[in-house]
PDB file of all heavy atoms in Angstrom:
ATOM      1  N   ALA A 791     -53.428 107.005  -1.018  1.00  0.00           N
ATOM      2  CA  ALA A 791     -52.729 106.063  -0.152  1.00  0.00           C
ATOM      3  C   ALA A 791     -51.211 106.220  -0.268  1.00  0.00           C
ATOM      4  O   ALA A 791     -50.466 105.240  -0.330  1.00  0.00           O
ATOM      5  CB  ALA A 791     -53.145 104.636  -0.519  1.00  0.00           C
ATOM      6  N   GLU A 792     -50.823 107.495  -0.283  1.00  0.00           N
ATOM      7  CA  GLU A 792     -49.360 107.745  -0.451  1.00  0.00           C
ATOM      8  C   GLU A 792     -49.115 109.164   0.112  1.00  0.00           C
ATOM      9  O   GLU A 792     -49.955 109.986   0.286  1.00  0.00           O
ATOM     10  CB  GLU A 792     -48.961 107.713  -1.872  1.00  0.00           C
ATOM     11  CG  GLU A 792     -49.708 108.768  -2.727  1.00  0.00           C
ATOM     12  CD  GLU A 792     -49.547 108.511  -4.201  1.00  0.00           C
ATOM     13  OE1 GLU A 792     -50.325 107.661  -4.728  1.00  0.00           O
ATOM     14  OE2 GLU A 792     -48.722 109.191  -4.882  1.00  0.00           O
ATOM     15  N   ALA A 793     -47.821 109.391   0.413  1.00  0.00           N
ATOM     16  CA  ALA A 793     -47.340 110.711   0.843  1.00  0.00           C
ATOM     17  C   ALA A 793     -45.865 110.844   0.450  1.00  0.00           C
ATOM     18  O   ALA A 793     -45.131 109.841   0.537  1.00  0.00           O
ATOM     19  CB  ALA A 793     -47.502 110.903   2.341  1.00  0.00           C
ATOM     20  N   PRO A 794     -45.466 111.993  -0.024  1.00  0.00           N
ATOM     21  CA  PRO A 794     -46.278 113.158  -0.214  1.00  0.00           C
ATOM     22  C   PRO A 794     -47.169 113.093  -1.443  1.00  0.00           C
ATOM     23  O   PRO A 794     -47.000 112.160  -2.271  1.00  0.00           O
ATOM     24  CB  PRO A 794     -45.208 114.272  -0.398  1.00  0.00           C
ATOM     25  CG  PRO A 794     -44.092 113.554  -1.084  1.00  0.00           C
ATOM     26  CD  PRO A 794     -44.075 112.218  -0.410  1.00  0.00           C
ATOM     27  N   ILE A 795     -48.114 114.022  -1.530  1.00  0.00           N
ATOM     28  CA  ILE A 795     -49.001 114.039  -2.667  1.00  0.00           C
ATOM     29  C   ILE A 795     -48.730 115.365  -3.437  1.00  0.00           C
ATOM     30  O   ILE A 795     -48.949 116.480  -2.903  1.00  0.00           O
ATOM     31  CB  ILE A 795     -50.491 113.907  -2.250  1.00  0.00           C
ATOM     32  CG1 ILE A 795     -51.418 113.833  -3.478  1.00  0.00           C
ATOM     33  CG2 ILE A 795     -50.866 115.003  -1.305  1.00  0.00           C
ATOM     34  CD1 ILE A 795     -51.379 112.485  -4.153  1.00  0.00           C
ATOM     35  N   SER A 796     -48.216 115.267  -4.645  1.00  0.00           N
ATOM     36  CA  SER A 796     -47.826 116.434  -5.403  1.00  0.00           C
ATOM     37  C   SER A 796     -48.955 116.867  -6.374  1.00  0.00           C
ATOM     38  O   SER A 796     -49.878 116.119  -6.631  1.00  0.00           O
ATOM     39  CB  SER A 796     -46.592 116.090  -6.256  1.00  0.00           C
ATOM     40  OG  SER A 796     -46.935 115.100  -7.278  1.00  0.00           O
ATOM     41  N   PRO A 797     -48.889 118.138  -6.857  1.00  0.00           N
ATOM     42  CA  PRO A 797     -49.909 118.534  -7.839  1.00  0.00           C
ATOM     43  C   PRO A 797     -49.939 117.584  -9.082  1.00  0.00           C
ATOM     44  O   PRO A 797     -50.999 117.271  -9.570  1.00  0.00           O
ATOM     45  CB  PRO A 797     -49.430 119.935  -8.240  1.00  0.00           C
ATOM     46  CG  PRO A 797     -48.675 120.427  -7.045  1.00  0.00           C
ATOM     47  CD  PRO A 797     -48.002 119.224  -6.494  1.00  0.00           C
ATOM     48  N   GLN A 798     -48.781 117.174  -9.521  1.00  0.00           N
ATOM     49  CA  GLN A 798     -48.726 116.257 -10.698  1.00  0.00           C
ATOM     50  C   GLN A 798     -49.481 114.958 -10.408  1.00  0.00           C
ATOM     51  O   GLN A 798     -50.267 114.441 -11.164  1.00  0.00           O
ATOM     52  CB  GLN A 798     -47.322 115.938 -11.046  1.00  0.00           C
ATOM     53  CG  GLN A 798     -47.161 114.923 -12.200  1.00  0.00           C
ATOM     54  CD  GLN A 798     -45.709 114.597 -12.491  1.00  0.00           C
ATOM     55  OE1 GLN A 798     -44.851 115.185 -11.936  1.00  0.00           O
ATOM     56  NE2 GLN A 798     -45.542 113.661 -13.369  1.00  0.00           N
ATOM     57  N   ARG A 799     -49.248 114.436  -9.181  1.00  0.00           N
ATOM     58  CA  ARG A 799     -49.901 113.181  -8.784  1.00  0.00           C
ATOM     59  C   ARG A 799     -51.398 113.345  -8.614  1.00  0.00           C
ATOM     60  O   ARG A 799     -52.187 112.466  -8.967  1.00  0.00           O
ATOM     61  CB  ARG A 799     -49.252 112.660  -7.477  1.00  0.00           C
ATOM     62  CG  ARG A 799     -49.827 111.356  -6.998  1.00  0.00           C
ATOM     63  CD  ARG A 799     -49.572 110.254  -7.980  1.00  0.00           C
ATOM     64  NE  ARG A 799     -50.062 108.958  -7.532  1.00  0.00           N
ATOM     65  CZ  ARG A 799     -50.509 108.002  -8.217  1.00  0.00           C
ATOM     66  NH1 ARG A 799     -50.572 108.154  -9.575  1.00  0.00           N
ATOM     67  NH2 ARG A 799     -50.910 106.872  -7.757  1.00  0.00           N
ATOM     68  N   ILE A 800     -51.829 114.466  -8.111  1.00  0.00           N
ATOM     69  CA  ILE A 800     -53.248 114.716  -7.973  1.00  0.00           C
ATOM     70  C   ILE A 800     -53.900 114.733  -9.359  1.00  0.00           C
ATOM     71  O   ILE A 800     -54.961 114.188  -9.536  1.00  0.00           O
ATOM     72  CB  ILE A 800     -53.498 116.071  -7.224  1.00  0.00           C
ATOM     73  CG1 ILE A 800     -53.132 115.879  -5.722  1.00  0.00           C
ATOM     74  CG2 ILE A 800     -54.969 116.537  -7.394  1.00  0.00           C
ATOM     75  CD1 ILE A 800     -53.145 117.176  -4.964  1.00  0.00           C
ATOM     76  N   VAL A 801     -53.319 115.397 -10.316  1.00  0.00           N
ATOM     77  CA  VAL A 801     -53.851 115.432 -11.643  1.00  0.00           C
ATOM     78  C   VAL A 801     -53.881 114.022 -12.267  1.00  0.00           C
ATOM     79  O   VAL A 801     -54.855 113.618 -12.892  1.00  0.00           O
ATOM     80  CB  VAL A 801     -53.027 116.406 -12.553  1.00  0.00           C
ATOM     81  CG1 VAL A 801     -53.420 116.303 -14.009  1.00  0.00           C
ATOM     82  CG2 VAL A 801     -53.187 117.862 -12.044  1.00  0.00           C
ATOM     83  N   GLU A 802     -52.855 113.233 -11.975  1.00  0.00           N
ATOM     84  CA  GLU A 802     -52.821 111.887 -12.464  1.00  0.00           C
ATOM     85  C   GLU A 802     -53.969 111.068 -11.895  1.00  0.00           C
ATOM     86  O   GLU A 802     -54.640 110.355 -12.635  1.00  0.00           O
ATOM     87  CB  GLU A 802     -51.454 111.245 -12.136  1.00  0.00           C
ATOM     88  CG  GLU A 802     -50.268 111.681 -12.907  1.00  0.00           C
ATOM     89  CD  GLU A 802     -49.009 111.121 -12.402  1.00  0.00           C
ATOM     90  OE1 GLU A 802     -49.036 110.350 -11.335  1.00  0.00           O
ATOM     91  OE2 GLU A 802     -47.914 111.371 -12.967  1.00  0.00           O
ATOM     92  N   LEU A 803     -54.185 111.215 -10.579  1.00  0.00           N
ATOM     93  CA  LEU A 803     -55.294 110.486  -9.912  1.00  0.00           C
ATOM     94  C   LEU A 803     -56.635 110.890 -10.482  1.00  0.00           C
ATOM     95  O   LEU A 803     -57.512 110.093 -10.686  1.00  0.00           O
ATOM     96  CB  LEU A 803     -55.247 110.665  -8.446  1.00  0.00           C
ATOM     97  CG  LEU A 803     -54.027 109.983  -7.705  1.00  0.00           C
ATOM     98  CD1 LEU A 803     -54.000 110.459  -6.267  1.00  0.00           C
ATOM     99  CD2 LEU A 803     -54.198 108.484  -7.775  1.00  0.00           C
ATOM    100  N   LEU A 804     -56.787 112.225 -10.693  1.00  0.00           N
ATOM    101  CA  LEU A 804     -58.086 112.673 -11.278  1.00  0.00           C
ATOM    102  C   LEU A 804     -58.267 112.099 -12.684  1.00  0.00           C
ATOM    103  O   LEU A 804     -59.369 111.719 -13.042  1.00  0.00           O
ATOM    104  CB  LEU A 804     -58.055 114.205 -11.313  1.00  0.00           C
ATOM    105  CG  LEU A 804     -58.277 114.896  -9.995  1.00  0.00           C
ATOM    106  CD1 LEU A 804     -57.931 116.372 -10.078  1.00  0.00           C
ATOM    107  CD2 LEU A 804     -59.773 114.750  -9.546  1.00  0.00           C
ATOM    108  N   GLY A 805     -57.174 111.995 -13.460  1.00  0.00           N
ATOM    109  CA  GLY A 805     -57.259 111.446 -14.788  1.00  0.00           C
ATOM    110  C   GLY A 805     -57.600 110.019 -14.788  1.00  0.00           C
ATOM    111  O   GLY A 805     -58.394 109.506 -15.602  1.00  0.00           O
ATOM    112  N   VAL A 806     -57.004 109.300 -13.852  1.00  0.00           N
ATOM    113  CA  VAL A 806     -57.265 107.830 -13.726  1.00  0.00           C
ATOM    114  C   VAL A 806     -58.761 107.553 -13.444  1.00  0.00           C
ATOM    115  O   VAL A 806     -59.388 106.760 -14.064  1.00  0.00           O
ATOM    116  CB  VAL A 806     -56.342 107.176 -12.632  1.00  0.00           C
ATOM    117  CG1 VAL A 806     -56.891 105.802 -12.304  1.00  0.00           C
ATOM    118  CG2 VAL A 806     -54.946 107.131 -13.105  1.00  0.00           C
TER     119      VAL A 806
END
Side-chain angles (χ1 to χ4, degrees):
E792 62 195 79
I795 186 76
S796 66
Q798 178 184 353
R799 181 61 177 149
I800 289 171
V801 171
E802 289 174 355
L803 289 171
L804 285 165
V806 166

